[in-house]
Amino acid sequence: MSKALELKLYSPAGSDPDVYEWPLTCGRGATSGAVELVETIRWVCQEFPEIVMESNILSSYDTNSYESMKSLVDEYNNTIDAFLQRAAHTTRPDARFSTTQRRTSRNLLRHILQQVYVHAVTNPSKLNQYEPFSPEVYGETSYELVCQIIDQLNITEEDTFLDLGSGVGQIVLQVAASTCCKMVWGIEKSDWPNLFAEKMDLHFKRLMRWWGKPYGEYQLINGDFLDQRHSDKINSASVIFVNNLAFGPNLDHQLKERFAELRDGVRIISSKEFCPINSRLSERNLSNIGTIMQVSKLSPPQGSVSWTGKSVSYYVHTIDRTKV
């Protein structure tokens, strides 16, 4: 039996090469492997200016020809080899991998997370096996919306981020890679998202090593976020994300009870407000959660979630007991 053909793409950080089996059928699409390989080379050319590529390296290739793609990969690998050899003999060890030591840019991180998703979520139809309009309804929040949340909340190294109902873990990985958060948690109880989250975790760590990019500490947890065993995580978080648009009144009420115990300054981002914006205090509503929350509205971009093409509003609730 003949040995399977493969293409090995060298890492600009000197990590293990990324291996593509021929034919280049990766994930869900017949051509996605070829697209991923070519786009990865393109991103290396863009993100690592100290790696001098031939200007025409991506000018001519045939994704249906093994010889053509091998020639492209060989040319790329020779350039990476030369760069790594020069870096190994530099007199300034602190400058050898100046680009790889920096946090990944947002555009590159989007490419990495797309790679991770394609490799990990091999059967996305399994994510839609839920009872409509139940608390288990599954939906993914867009990359752009998470960027907006990170910018508006100005997340720092003092923050701890918690995603309640984290699905396959995309938000957790994005926050861990693009902020200085001291800890990022995600809690998900549904079986299929958890199965894919395990694979997301493995592929994310592999690709971040390949790119030589740092990321913060994170953990994807299989469990029910209402379980008392996770109360300490909710109580210690300074930023909490919850996609509660399809949650019923009972689950929302239980979350409000948890949030009523949070310390001042904690920020909660949700797709459905837990209390009205600009709610006024009166003797009749002193026991409501709105008495300790300041609420503002985000204006997310179109397509901010996966289950609808309509714009979904998100709300930022800040715990503030000075209102009482």
Side-chain angles (χ1 to χ4, degrees):
M1 187 174 179
S2 60
K3 184 180 179 181
L5 296 175
E6 61 184 23
L7 298 169
K8 293 185 178 181
L9 204 64
Y10 287 2
S11 160
S15 182
D16 293 337
D18 210 357
V19 179
Y20 292 80
E21 293 186 356
W22 186 268
L24 296 171
T25 54
C26 164
R28 304 188 299 275
T31 61
S32 60
V35 171
E36 178 185 315
L37 188 152
V38 171
E39 284 302 302
T40 297
I41 293 177
R42 195 184 310 278
W43 275 112
V44 171
C45 294
Q46 180 173 323
E47 290 287 313
F48 299 88
E50 62 267 50
I51 300 177
V52 182
M53 296 279 184
E54 292 292 336
S55 59
N56 63 345
I57 190 172
L58 292 172
S59 62
S60 178
Y61 57 87
D62 180 0
T63 57
N64 296 312
S65 166
Y66 174 76
E67 289 74 19
S68 175
M69 295 304 292
K70 186 176 186 305
S71 176
L72 170 65
V73 170
D74 286 346
E75 187 175 355
Y76 163 85
N77 287 342
N78 289 337
T79 303
I80 296 297
D81 252 345
F83 165 72
L84 293 175
Q85 289 178 22
R86 291 195 304 271
H89 295 90
T90 182
T91 57
R92 293 181 56 203
D94 61 317
R96 285 175 55 186
F97 299 106
S98 59
T99 307
T100 59
Q101 290 171 348
R102 295 196 300 267
R103 290 267 176 169
T104 177
S105 69
R106 282 186 170 175
N107 287 335
L108 175 58
L109 181 59
R110 183 206 301 272
H111 170 70
I112 293 172
L113 291 179
Q114 286 173 342
Q115 282 184 276
V116 170
Y117 190 93
V118 167
H119 285 276
V121 186
T122 52
N123 192 353
S125 64
K126 295 292 185 181
L127 297 175
N128 296 322
Q129 295 181 359
Y130 55 78
E131 180 184 350
F133 307 109
S134 73
E136 280 73 36
V137 66
Y138 184 79
E140 293 168 356
T141 304
S142 75
Y143 185 86
E144 290 78 12
L145 176 61
V146 179
C147 288
Q148 183 184 6
I149 291 170
I150 290 170
D151 289 341
Q152 182 152 335
L153 270 60
N154 190 28
I155 296 174
T156 71
E157 64 275 4
E158 298 300 318
D159 285 308
T160 299
F161 188 99
L162 173 61
D163 185 356
L164 300 177
S166 51
V168 300
Q170 286 176 290
I171 292 177
V172 171
L173 300 181
Q174 183 177 347
V175 173
S178 56
T179 74
C180 296
C181 234
K182 62 182 176 182
M183 185 63 194
V184 186
W185 284 302
I187 305 175
E188 173 61 49
K189 75 172 185 177
S190 298
D191 293 336
W192 276 106
N194 270 306
L195 178 62
F196 291 136
E198 292 179 12
K199 297 179 179 179
M200 292 278 290
D201 180 34
L202 293 174
H203 285 292
F204 175 76
K205 289 173 178 173
R206 174 182 65 83
L207 284 172
M208 293 300 278
R209 284 195 302 271
W210 191 90
W211 285 98
K213 293 297 184 180
Y215 54 89
E217 188 174 356
Y218 70 89
Q219 186 178 5
L220 297 169
I221 301 167
N222 184 345
D224 185 343
F225 56 68
L226 291 177
D227 192 310
Q228 287 298 325
R229 288 175 294 181
H230 302 307
S231 294
D232 58 334
K233 294 179 178 59
I234 294 177
N235 292 334
S236 63
S238 60
V239 180
I240 297 174
F241 180 88
V242 55
N243 208 339
N244 66 328
L245 190 63
F247 287 3
N250 182 50
L251 184 51
D252 265 354
H253 177 71
Q254 292 179 77
L255 280 173
K256 289 177 183 180
E257 289 183 328
R258 296 289 196 280
F259 295 158
E261 302 172 1
L262 298 178
R263 66 190 184 279
D264 280 11
V266 173
R267 293 163 292 178
I268 303 158
I269 305 97
S270 67
S271 50
K272 182 173 66 177
E273 65 265 51
F274 288 100
C275 62
I277 295 178
N278 300 322
S279 60
R280 296 183 178 182
L281 293 178
S282 69
E283 291 184 359
R284 288 186 296 179
N285 67 7
L286 282 176
S287 61
N288 293 347
I289 192 73
T291 61
I292 62 167
M293 282 183 171
Q294 300 283 0
V295 188
S296 60
K297 184 178 179 181
L298 287 173
S299 298
Q302 191 78 9
S304 57
V305 291
S306 63
W307 67 85
T308 176
K310 298 178 181 179
S311 179
V312 175
S313 298
Y314 276 75
Y315 301 86
V316 180
H317 312 71
T318 302
I319 303 296
D320 180 10
R321 290 180 174 80
T322 62
K323 288 179 62 180
V324 181

